[in-house]
């Protein structure tokens, strides 16, 4: 991640003082919509993923492929025949299968200081608000490439709060306990919401887990622990049919729903390899979003079924220099 990207991230922080409307109208809209309401400190890392891409990678020597432990993500579309698109079992059963599958994979080599995390992804977010007098159709998302230092001293030892380097995140994942409830407790402490945040425990769990799922090269044992912890989140459920991600691939959608919630966050998982594919946020009830910091901005209507943010990881890897590709 370069200095310009981090400047954008700092401007989009939920906890930062609100600058003037003209400079950050788009950023405030996107951030506020993703949160539904104020999120506190933890959202800074979460928004960093949505805004400029989280580092997600496997080793540079690996060919980009679809397996865990043996390669990175592939952009190839995978679809399932219509007759077999039903997802059998409860969310606990589905995630138990996922955990049992991924923990048998060989662990990828760990990157070393000086290397860079490469990621290619598709992202989509809401259009600007209010719309222009002559609105234009939203362009189709184009693949974006990002490079971030694996061990970036600017994001270690608490220098940027809960914006952490990939090295720190992988160390955290290596130390996760076996008990799912204990994992969730540690995750909530690692990405705290802040005392003034109105979000529920389940919402906080989903936000923090979405950050950690995008950590790569994630050890198979750690990924299995995250799946078991995801199954223990209050209100979590699996969609009873396969969905299509932003790249058109079939995916299991594991989301969190509870009374009063306006937006559902979903983790998308490959139905064959159980590899993390990306995430998305979907409106679950009609509501009007207001802008307290910008009184001249009209309220924005949202309808159930509207998609807010979507991310689809296409390819990942670890390289020796910024600009290199695996």
């Amino acid at each position: 991640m370069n200095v310009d990207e981090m400047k954008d991230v700092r401007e989009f922080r939920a906890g930062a003082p609100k600058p003037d409307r003209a400079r950050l109208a788009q950023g405030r809209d996107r951030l506020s919509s993703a949160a539904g309401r104020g999120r506190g400190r933890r959202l800074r890392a979460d928004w960093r993923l949505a805004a400029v891409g989280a580092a997600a990678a496997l080793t540079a020597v690996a060919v980009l492929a679809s397996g865990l432990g043996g390669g990175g993500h592939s952009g190839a579309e995978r679809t399932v025949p219509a007759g077999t698109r039903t997802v059998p079992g409860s969310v606990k059963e589905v995630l138990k299968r996922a955990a049992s599958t991924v923990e048998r994979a060989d662990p990828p080599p760990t990157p070393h200081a000086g290397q860079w995390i490469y990621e290619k992804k598709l992202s989509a977010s809401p259009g600007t608000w209010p719309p222009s007098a002559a609105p234009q159709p939203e362009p189709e998302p184009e693949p974006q490439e990002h490079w971030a230092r694996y061990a970036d001293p600017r994001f270690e030892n608490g220098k940027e709060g809960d914006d952490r380097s990939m090295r720190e995140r992988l160390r955290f994942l290596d130390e996760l306990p076996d008990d799912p409830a204990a994992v969730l407790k540690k995750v909530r402490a690692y990405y705290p919401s802040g005392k003034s945040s109105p979000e529920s425990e389940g919402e906080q769990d989903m936000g923090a887990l979405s950050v950690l799922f995008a950590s790569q090269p994630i050890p198979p044992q750690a990924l299995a622990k995250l799946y078991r912890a995801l199954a223990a989140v209050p209100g979590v459920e699996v969609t009873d049919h396969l969905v299509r991600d932003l790249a058109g691939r079939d995916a299991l959608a594991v989301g969190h729903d509870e009374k009063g919630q306006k937006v559902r966050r979903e983790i998308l998982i490959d139905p064959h390899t159980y590899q993390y594919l990306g995430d998305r946020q979907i409106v679950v009830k009609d509501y009007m979003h207001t802008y307290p910091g910008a009184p001249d901005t009209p309220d924005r209507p949202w309808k159930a079924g509207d998609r807010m943010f979507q991310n689809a990881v296409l390819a990942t890897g670890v390289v020796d220099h910024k600009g290199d590709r695996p």
Side-chain angles (χ1 to χ4, degrees), residues 18-276:
K18 293 184 182 299
D20 65 276
R21 175 177 176 268
R23 187 163 64 93
L24 281 185
Q26 291 186 39
R28 185 187 297 110
D29 182 34
R30 296 171 65 187
L31 176 57
S32 299
S33 299
R37 48 187 181 260
R39 292 300 192 205
R41 292 180 65 254
R42 192 270 305 154
L43 184 60
R44 291 206 302 271
D46 190 4
W47 176 245
R48 187 157 67 96
L49 293 179
V52 297
L58 294 174
T59 62
V61 297
V63 176
L64 297 181
S66 61
L68 282 170
H73 295 279
S74 170
E77 181 175 335
R78 293 181 295 276
T79 58
V80 175
T84 58
R85 295 185 62 81
T86 299
V87 175
S90 66
V91 65
K92 293 186 182 299
E93 292 169 335
V94 169
L95 291 175
K96 181 180 179 180
R97 289 196 298 268
S100 298
T101 299
V102 300
E103 67 184 353
R104 294 195 296 267
D106 294 329
T110 301
H112 59 74
Q115 289 187 306
W116 291 75
I117 306 297
Y118 167 82
E119 179 185 60
K120 182 178 182 180
K121 68 188 296 185
L122 285 175
S123 295
S125 59
T128 59
W129 186 262
S132 63
Q136 300 295 322
E138 289 293 322
E140 289 296 318
E142 295 289 339
Q144 302 294 320
E145 296 178 301
H146 302 280
W147 288 263
R149 292 184 185 274
Y150 166 67
D152 192 330
R154 297 175 299 172
F155 303 101
E156 296 188 340
N157 301 316
K159 292 180 180 178
E160 284 295 325
D162 51 22
D163 289 341
R164 296 183 172 92
S165 73
M166 190 60 66
R167 177 168 64 178
E168 284 196 341
R169 284 162 57 180
L170 292 181
R171 287 173 177 172
F172 172 79
L173 289 171
D174 279 335
E175 297 171 356
L176 287 178
D178 293 325
D179 178 60
V183 171
L184 291 178
K185 183 177 180 180
K186 286 182 68 71
V187 167
R188 285 193 292 270
Y190 199 60
Y191 288 118
S193 290
K195 295 181 179 180
S196 62
S197 173
E199 71 181 355
S200 69
E201 190 173 271
E203 288 176 299
Q204 182 187 358
D205 289 340
M206 288 299 293
L209 287 172
S210 70
V211 178
L212 292 171
F213 272 116
S215 305
Q216 293 287 355
I218 188 170
Q221 291 294 328
L223 182 57
K225 291 177 182 179
L226 290 182
Y227 282 143
R228 295 187 178 105
L230 179 60
V233 173
V236 74
E237 58 183 21
V238 62
T239 302
D240 62 5
H241 59 274
L242 296 178
V243 304
R244 295 286 175 85
D245 74 352
L246 190 59
R249 301 170 298 189
D250 282 312
L252 299 165
V254 179
H256 166 264
D257 252 327
E258 61 183 70
K259 186 177 180 179
Q261 186 172 307
K262 298 175 182 176
V263 179
R264 179 176 68 245
R265 185 190 299 271
E266 294 181 340
I267 303 296
L268 303 181
I269 303 169
D270 189 294
H272 308 291
T273 65
Y274 296 105
Q275 187 167 355
Y276 169 81

